[in-house]
Amino acid sequence: MSASQSGVELRSLVCRYGPVEAVRSMDLMIAPGEFFTLLGPSGCGKSTTLQAIGGFAPPSAGRILVGGEDITDLPPSRRPTNYVFQNYALFPHMSVAENVEYGLKRRKVPSAERRARVLAELRRVGMEDYAARRPAQLSGGQQQRVALARALVNRPAVLLLDEPLSALDFLMRKQLREELKAIQRDVGTTTVFVTHDQSEALSMSDRIAVMNAGRIEQIGTPSEIYERPRTRFVAEFVGSANLLSGRAGADGSSVALDAGITVRLAGSVISGGQRCLVMVRPEHMRLADTGGIAATLGKCTYVGDHHEIRATLADGGEVTVKQQDRPSITPGAACRIAFDETKAHLIPAS
């Protein structure tokens, strides 16, 4: 099965562990060649979903299709998928080259072709000079590259990545996520990536499914997920969010905030009179001399490229403002918080 035929479809997928329903009737379509991320907190079902696609977690109900072919009942070895585990799972007694070659040997690929494909993949991940080393002689980042080469050398229709960067330090994660995305673009393999790291998901994905308690809360592009979350959970899990409570006006395009002002928002989907939340990201809020919402300045924290400023609103709610300059007033002083209404987004209160 070629990469061009490798879309993934989940139909009413259910995965149970005893009485616990880890994945709840999931329907999902992943396009061929897409870098698709399952994002969510620990225990939300994202790794179980990935394991079900790979054949390591048999579903309790539902079907799994790759390239239009039903693979639900196939063992992992017969699926057109390759799985990169969180701990890389390299064979410690084998060299780098032998680790990468292992799957080809099992498939009885001729030796000359095996050597050529192993060398090509090691070059792709920048590990050709380490072919004779053992995994213990490699750094975490190098082991991750070897695990990726071992998966790609088998030319899978679908590449499954289970938090492969989580054990690395920040700088190495940042470097390797850029390299991983570049490799995926080069190869064109449909990739399903699991992470709890929002920055990884936003920077690497074509689309993201945000999961919560075994269900998908929202699917969208990184910008859709960040700028237009559909639920409170998505707004608060992906990035930082200021949620201002209020009630939608009768015209459906204005919201009377509990904090004391009325704002007008485009594209409202909440009926007039309903309780709702207006989400504003901290980088879109600012301290103002006039207008905006009356507040009391709280703690100001310097975090390198900006200051994070806390403020308490008249209704008792708290907001965070991100700005480069430290405020000239001191904590406890009266202030005003303003924001661009075009950057605000309306979501249901529940």
Side-chain angles (χ1 to χ4, degrees), residues 20-301:
V20 177
E21 203 166 60
V23 178
R24 304 181 179 188
S25 194
M26 181 184 294
D27 292 302
L28 179 62
M29 293 283 293
I30 300 173
E34 188 171 28
F35 195 111
F36 191 93
T37 296
L38 299 172
L39 172 67
S42 297
C44 71
K46 57 188 186 296
S47 288
T48 301
T49 302
L50 196 75
Q51 291 164 9
I53 297 171
F56 300 102
S60 305
R63 311 306 295 173
I64 302 168
L65 289 78
V66 172
E69 297 180 13
D70 192 328
I71 64 166
T72 310
D73 300 320
L74 295 180
S77 61
R78 292 184 56 200
R79 297 190 180 206
T81 61
N82 258 92
Y83 202 107
V84 178
F85 293 90
Q86 188 172 343
N87 63 358
Y88 314 135
L90 299 176
F91 298 116
H93 62 288
M94 293 184 182
S95 69
V96 165
E98 290 168 338
N99 264 280
V100 176
E101 186 183 26
Y102 179 77
L104 299 179
K105 274 189 171 182
R106 290 196 63 184
R107 290 171 172 78
K108 303 188 186 309
V109 175
S111 59
E113 182 182 348
R114 289 202 309 265
R115 288 192 296 270
R117 285 169 62 173
V118 168
L119 180 59
E121 293 307 329
L122 288 178
R123 282 176 176 162
R124 192 195 304 275
V125 300
M127 291 296 293
E128 67 270 26
D129 293 336
Y130 298 83
R133 293 194 186 184
R134 299 286 177 88
Q137 298 173 299
L138 304 176
S139 69
Q142 290 169 335
Q143 291 183 45
Q144 192 271 348
R145 289 185 176 94
V146 175
L148 182 60
R150 185 175 64 179
L152 291 173
V153 78
N154 295 309
R155 298 173 182 170
V158 180
L159 181 63
L160 307 173
L161 304 175
D162 192 0
E163 302 205 48
L165 309 180
S166 62
L168 306 177
D169 62 62
F170 173 76
L171 290 177
M172 182 60 69
R173 286 203 312 272
K174 186 175 179 181
Q175 175 186 343
L176 286 182
R177 71 192 186 195
E178 293 172 358
E179 294 179 4
L180 180 58
K181 180 59 180 175
I183 289 170
Q184 191 268 342
R185 284 198 188 103
D186 178 55
V187 176
T189 301
T190 304
T191 300
V192 188
F193 182 81
V194 160
T195 185
H196 63 272
D197 188 302
Q198 305 151 31
S199 61
E200 282 182 4
L202 293 172
S203 64
M204 298 173 68
S205 312
D206 296 318
R207 286 192 303 150
I208 300 168
V210 182
M211 293 187 64
N212 179 31
R215 301 184 189 277
I216 293 176
E217 291 261 337
Q218 183 175 349
I219 298 175
T221 65
S223 62
E224 289 169 343
I225 294 292
Y226 185 79
E227 297 171 13
R228 297 184 295 279
R230 294 178 186 167
T231 68
R232 180 171 190 157
F233 176 85
V234 176
E236 294 183 315
F237 184 77
V238 181
S240 299
N242 294 310
L243 299 175
L244 309 174
S245 58
R247 188 175 298 278
D251 59 2
S253 63
S254 64
V255 178
L257 297 179
D258 296 345
I261 67 170
T262 297
V263 296
R264 301 193 70 83
L265 304 175
S268 171
V269 294
I270 296 179
S271 301
Q274 271 193 282
R275 296 292 296 174
C276 58
L277 297 169
V278 174
M279 185 208 75
V280 186
R281 297 293 184 186
E283 62 269 25
H284 296 145
M285 282 192 160
R286 66 186 186 278
L287 295 180
D289 295 327
T290 59
I293 307 170
T296 302
L297 193 70
K299 183 179 180 181
C300 177
T301 304

